[in-house]
Structures are given as C-alpha cells and as structure tokens.
C-alpha cells in the first residue's frame, strides 16, 4: 500500500490529500484544507507565499499525526502562470505577484516589440490573456523592478513551493507551457522572444519531464515534523494538467477542468499553431505525457464567486445550494453575458458589472439572486458550446461527449444546463480531478503505473462518474446566436 500526498492549490483554496494506492484502486482522504487569497498592497496584488509554505507543512504534520506510516512521495499542483523570483542566495527576491494584476497595457507593450501573430506561432498560447507570465515579466522589466534586477532564478508556484520543501530547483513541463514563453516546436523556452524583450535569460531553469523525482524533504524539515525524507515528484504542476490526466474518458471527448477558471480543451499529439486557433483564443498547454491540450481559458466560477461576495457584503447570506435553488426557479435564458468580457476579470462589484452588460446589450436586467445566478450559469454553458465548436474544427471531427472534473460538478443544475447547451452527453467526475491526477502521477514516477492508459483505468476503478443527457431546444439555439453577436 503506497502512501502518497497531493498538495492541490487553487486560486481560492488549497488541500493536502492523502492517496492510498494498492496497485489497482486509490482511496483519498483530505487531511488539511486552507484558504488562499491574493492580497492587495499599494496597488499591487501578491500571494502570501510564507503562509502557503506553512500550510504545506501543516499538511505534512497532519499526515504524521494520522499514523499512516511512511510517506512514499508527495507532489504539488497549482494554478498556472504565477511564479517567484530567487536571488543568488536562493532567497525570495520580493513577494510573488498575483496574475490578477495584469492589464491590457501589459499586452500592448509586448506587442510593440513582438507581433501577436509571431508570438502565437512561437508559443501557441492565446496572446490576449493579460495574466501570461511573459507579460508579467516584461511589465516588471519596464518598471525597473528591483526584485527582477537581482533575480537569479524564476520558479513557477508549484516548483517554488517544492523548492522550499526540498531545496531542489527545477521547472516542470506542464507549468512551463502556461507561461507564454515555451516553444512547443523547439521543446524549450522561447529564447527568441525572451531575447527580443531583453528579459534576463539566467533566471530560466531547465525544463524537466513530468514525473521527474526532484529531491526529497529537507533534513531540517523532517526533523521538525518527525517525518521521513519522502521524495518530491514534479507532477503535472499545472492543476489542469493533473486534472486532465485523471479524466476517465474514452473515444472522441473534450475535457473541462472546472474551478475558478474553466479550462476547456482536448488532447492532441501536436500543437495547433494556426491563425484559426489563435482567432478562437486557444492555448496549447502541456499534458503529463509530454503532448498538448489545446484549450480555452474561460472564466468559470469566478464570476458567481464574486457575486456571492457582493451579496454577503450587502447582508444576503446564502449557501451555494441556496443560490442554485434560486437560479433553478428563475426564468430560463432571460439574459446572458459574455463571461470573457474583460470587465469580469477583476474582482469587486460583479453584480453591477453583470447588470451593466445586460443594460448595454438591451436585455432585461437581472435583479434577484436567482436571476443573476441563472444568467451566469447559462452564459457559461453557452460559452462551452463555442469552445466545443472550435475544438471540432481544429480536430476535424465531431466530439461526442464532454468530461468535466473539479468541485463545481457538484452543481447538478449547471451540469444539465451544459448538456442542454452543447447537445452532447456530459460526463462528470471525478470531483478531485487534479488531486487524483497528482497522486497517480506520483505512483507512475515510482514505477507502480506504467502509462497514462493504466492511470486512467485506476481512475475508473476508483471513482464514480455521472452522465447527463441533453435536452437541446430552440431557445438554447437562439441564446447561442445572441452570444455569438457579443463575441464578435
């Protein structure tokens, strides 16, 4: 029986999840959960990295106190694009920034040096995403940022936290592909763009294959916690890569890793670097097996999460289940929004932003919690259809089903809306997609699983899935045509 520990960090919370693997099935147990929120200081958004590191230590302590025996391995997956800088002594050079800081001016500044067409041909990453690591770094260069000036190494968030636990540096493949600085043709950093922008080349470490065993827990940490020196496996560092690895789908299927963001795509052997893919805002990110998953970065639960914060501030305390009930009771397809309109990227006043969008587009303005929530859920389902059609054009074949993983699949009302919008069967599960992908990649690194097919068979052995049959009506078709006008 293997004892594996997955640290799965999202942009709003994190968990330490124990996986006990017997060679055929894996059982999971949450040992520790914690919140994760970016912090605004003097107009800049940061991540509280010392706090996150301490929460990982608490996860290790929970394992020790649970009396499970020896820890065989651990891995870390997080959201993409964000990073920390280390100085020549290996210490943090400044506080790691949050991608929420990105603005259009960051994109414009890069495109003055390198055109959007050139960037996409080199990296296959959507050039319209303000949070891309490339834009973040160039902004700091333009601002003559002191931390960047003294930086000796850049590590993405999962690699950074792994370094603090082990003392070993490295860059895992899937997390590197989220940056807008990886060239899928040369299978290395996009050195041409890095040089043309004048970014410091020395901060980039060698890109390693997913599943590389990179050091083990530091001696001092082991003594402090009373735990063995477990090896650190560089799993699919991007949580979407880990989640997609755990999708039990067969045949021609698309995937959606659902959370604060909805990462919607399909697996392919080669990147799609055409202008058609660029025009549809597809990003070619990496899979744990070293191939690619062209996907759309769609704003997911972020909008409704921010609405709930607005309602709480206004004194309206409602659980997620109560919000879903209110949405179910509201009128169907009354108003829709484009979830990826730039106004929805930043937090704050989300209810008002939704109402303003509807007013500007001459639609009924949603007022109640149910009307607003239904507007968000239906709009997301319609945006999924647009992404699915783009994938079908890129693959040159029909996609028969959509497999969704992540916590939001507990919203059964939304699952049915998605099936109705797509007119495709929807399969949901597992809930803990990123965590189980993280855990089983560790097992693969230890030699207990031979390949991705066997990994997915273990998922099918271990996790139940649900199926949603579509009920596509003319009202959905009319609403989709309306969304297309917004996208234009």
């Amino acid at each position: 029986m293997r004892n594996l520990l997955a640290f799965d960090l999202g942009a709003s919370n994190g968990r330490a999840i124990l996986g006990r693997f017997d060679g055929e099935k894996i059982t999971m147990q949450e040992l520790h959960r914690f919140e994760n929120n970016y912090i605004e200081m003097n107009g800049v958004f940061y991540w509280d990295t010392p706090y996150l590191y301490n929460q990982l230590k608490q996860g290790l302590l929970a394992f020790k106190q649970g009396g499970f025996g020896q820890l065989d391995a651990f891995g870390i997956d997080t959201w993409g694009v964000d990073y920390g800088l280390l100085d020549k002594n290996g210490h943090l050079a400044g506080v790691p920034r949050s991608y929420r800081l990105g603005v259009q001016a960051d994109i414009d500044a890069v495109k003055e040096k390198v055109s959007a067409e050139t960037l996409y041909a080199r990296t296959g990453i959507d050039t319209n995403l303000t949070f891309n690591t490339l834009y973040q770094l160039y902004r700091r260069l333009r601002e003559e940022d002191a931390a960047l000036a003294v930086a000796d190494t850049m590590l993405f968030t999962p690699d950074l936290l792994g370094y603090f636990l082990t003392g070993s540096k490295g860059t895992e493949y899937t997390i590197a592909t989220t940056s807008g600085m990886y060239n899928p043709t040369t299978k290395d950093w996009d050195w041409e763009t890095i040089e043309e922008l004048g970014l410091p080349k020395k901060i980039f470490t060698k890109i390693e294959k997913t599943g590389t065993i990179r050091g083990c827990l530091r001696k001092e940490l082991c003594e402090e916690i009373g735990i063995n020196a477990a090896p650190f496996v560089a799993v699919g560092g991007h949580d979407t890569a880990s989640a997609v690895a755990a999708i039990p789908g067969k045949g021609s299927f698309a995937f959606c890793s659902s959370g604060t963001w909805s990462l919607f795509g399909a697996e392919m052997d080669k990147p799609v670097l055409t202008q058609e893919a660029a025009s549809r805002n597809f990003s070619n990110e990496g899979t744990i097996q070293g191939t690619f998953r062209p996907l759309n970065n769609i704003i997911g639960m972020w909008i409704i999460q921010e609405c709930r914060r607005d309602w709480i501030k206004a004194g309206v305390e409602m659980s997620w289940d109560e919000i879903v009930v209110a949405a179910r009771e509201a009128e169907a397809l009354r108003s829709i929004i484009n979830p990826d309109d730039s106004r929805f990227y930043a937090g704050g006043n989300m209810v008002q932003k939704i109402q303003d969008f509807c007013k500007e587009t001459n639609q009924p303005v949603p007022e109640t919690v149910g009307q607003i929530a239904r507007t968000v859920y239906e709009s997301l389902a319609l945006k999924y259809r647009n992404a699915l059609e783009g994938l079908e054009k890129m693959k040159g074949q029909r996609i028969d089903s959509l497999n969704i993983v992540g916590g939001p699949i507990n919203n059964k009302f939304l699952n049915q809306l998605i099936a109705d919008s797509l007119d495709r069967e929807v399969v949901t599960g597992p809930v803990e997609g990123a965590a189980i992908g993280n855990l089983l990649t560790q097992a693969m690194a230890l030699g207990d699983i031979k390949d991705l097919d066997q990994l997915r068979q273990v998922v099918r052995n271990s996790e139940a899935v649900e199926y949603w049959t579509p009920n596509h009506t003319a009202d959905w078709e009319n609403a989709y045509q309306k969304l297309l006008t917004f996208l234009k």
Side-chain angles (χ1 to χ4, degrees):
M1 180 73 73
R2 290 285 197 189
N3 286 322
L4 309 169
L5 189 61
F7 292 108
D8 175 32
L9 280 67
S12 57
N13 64 74
R15 291 84 50 78
I17 297 178
L18 170 65
R20 310 201 79 190
F21 181 51
D22 65 6
E24 294 184 0
K25 294 179 67 175
I26 189 165
T27 57
M28 295 190 294
Q29 178 182 344
E30 183 177 297
L31 301 182
H32 181 56
R33 176 180 286 262
F34 52 94
E35 289 192 4
N36 179 30
N37 296 294
Y38 61 83
I39 300 167
E40 183 276 330
M41 293 191 295
N42 197 30
V44 180
F45 298 141
Y46 299 99
W47 295 111
D48 191 347
T49 304
Y51 161 81
L52 293 178
Y53 168 66
N54 188 55
Q55 294 305 313
L56 299 195
K57 288 174 61 178
Q58 294 304 310
L60 291 167
L61 183 62
F63 174 83
K64 170 63 178 177
Q65 293 175 339
F68 301 105
Q70 178 165 298
L71 180 61
D72 290 294
F74 71 97
I76 304 170
D77 68 81
T78 75
W79 66 98
V81 307
D82 281 340
Y83 61 93
L85 298 172
L86 302 175
D87 65 18
K88 64 180 181 179
N89 298 312
H91 304 313
L92 272 180
V95 183
R97 294 184 175 189
S98 166
Y99 65 86
R100 292 290 178 189
L101 185 64
V103 294
Q104 182 62 38
D106 300 332
I107 297 178
D108 296 340
V110 168
K111 290 181 179 178
E112 287 180 5
K113 297 280 188 177
V114 186
S115 71
E117 293 77 16
T118 299
L119 279 176
Y120 195 84
R122 289 175 178 173
T123 68
I125 295 295
D126 182 6
T127 62
N128 299 302
L129 301 174
T130 59
F131 50 70
N132 283 352
T133 318
L134 176 69
Y135 302 144
Q136 293 191 46
L137 285 174
Y138 191 55
R139 174 177 181 166
R140 298 179 78 157
L141 185 70
R142 291 184 293 115
E143 293 175 345
E144 299 181 352
D145 176 67
L148 182 61
V150 301
D152 188 69
T153 307
M154 179 191 75
L155 295 177
F156 292 98
T157 306
D159 297 320
L160 181 71
L161 294 171
Y163 163 70
F164 291 143
L165 292 174
T166 66
S168 298
K169 301 175 185 176
T171 298
E172 184 272 331
Y173 166 70
T174 69
I175 199 73
T177 64
T178 70
S179 65
M181 296 185 294
Y182 177 81
N183 187 317
T185 303
T186 64
K187 301 185 185 303
D188 198 356
W189 295 109
D190 176 17
W191 294 117
E192 288 182 277
T193 300
I194 290 168
E195 290 179 359
E196 288 169 16
L197 294 179
L199 297 174
K201 295 177 66 175
K202 68 177 182 178
I203 66 174
F204 298 94
T205 68
K206 181 181 178 181
I207 299 171
E208 299 174 342
K209 290 182 179 180
T210 308
T212 297
I213 295 178
R214 187 193 302 152
C216 57
L217 287 172
R218 289 187 293 111
K219 179 181 177 182
E220 300 85 356
L221 201 57
C222 293
E223 292 175 352
E224 175 187 347
I225 297 173
I227 196 171
N228 63 289
F232 171 53
V233 177
V235 299
H238 189 205
D239 51 11
T240 306
S242 282
V244 171
I247 286 176
K250 296 181 179 180
S252 179
F253 70 91
F255 66 78
C256 177
S257 179
S258 181
T260 302
W261 288 87
S262 289
L263 291 307
F264 193 109
E267 292 179 317
M268 299 185 190
D269 291 335
K270 296 181 180 180
V272 182
L273 305 176
T274 65
Q275 283 307 303
E276 167 74 12
S279 68
R280 288 181 171 272
N281 305 119
F282 276 91
S283 288
N284 291 269
E285 297 179 356
T287 66
I288 70 159
Q289 62 268 36
T291 57
F292 299 91
R293 42 185 176 81
L295 57 79
N296 265 153
N297 285 279
I298 302 171
I299 291 184
M301 295 299 106
W302 165 254
I303 295 177
I304 196 68
Q305 288 167 354
E306 285 295 297
C307 286
R308 185 168 182 255
R309 290 189 183 98
D310 288 349
W311 293 323
I312 291 172
K313 288 177 183 177
V316 180
E317 293 273 357
M318 295 183 71
S319 69
W320 287 115
D321 288 342
E322 289 170 332
I323 291 170
V324 170
V325 169
R328 191 188 297 273
E329 294 173 351
E331 181 183 347
L333 297 168
R334 180 172 180 264
S335 305
I336 64 169
I337 60 172
N338 171 17
D340 286 328
D341 187 282
S342 59
R343 76 185 77 193
F344 300 126
Y345 277 62
N349 301 313
M350 192 63 73
V351 168
Q352 186 63 53
K353 291 173 183 176
I354 291 169
Q355 293 172 332
D356 289 345
F357 185 98
C358 293
K359 188 181 298 181
E360 292 167 15
T361 52
N362 299 313
Q363 300 181 87
V365 177
E367 300 288 347
T368 68
V369 168
Q371 289 173 342
I372 293 166
R374 185 149 193 155
T375 293
V376 174
Y377 292 146
E378 290 176 337
S379 300
L380 184 59
L382 289 164
K383 193 67 168 62
Y384 283 4
R385 175 178 168 182
N386 184 250
L388 184 80
E389 290 184 352
L391 281 174
E392 288 182 327
K393 286 189 176 182
M394 292 166 65
K395 291 191 73 172
Q397 68 178 98
R398 174 185 165 87
I399 293 173
D400 298 321
S401 63
L402 171 67
N403 195 305
I404 311 177
V405 296
I409 67 173
N410 290 317
N411 185 338
K412 298 181 186 299
F413 175 62
L414 177 57
N415 296 338
Q416 187 61 58
L417 292 178
I418 294 168
D420 294 346
S421 172
L422 298 184
D423 197 20
R424 300 285 196 284
E425 180 182 68
V426 168
V427 184
T428 56
V431 174
E432 298 289 359
I436 193 170
N438 178 326
L439 292 165
L440 293 179
T441 302
Q442 294 176 48
M444 191 154 57
L446 296 176
D448 299 333
I449 293 176
K450 64 179 181 179
D451 56 24
L452 184 65
D453 288 340
Q454 186 180 353
L455 186 155
R456 285 178 169 160
Q457 185 58 53
V458 173
V459 176
R460 286 189 283 271
N461 296 344
S462 309
E463 295 287 316
V465 298
E466 291 187 83
Y467 298 86
W468 307 87
T469 302
N471 179 26
H472 187 74
T473 64
D475 289 339
W476 277 106
E477 201 60 41
N478 293 335
Y480 182 61
Q481 294 305 315
K482 185 190 294 185
L483 175 68
L484 292 180
T485 65
F486 299 159
L487 297 181
K488 291 176 182 177

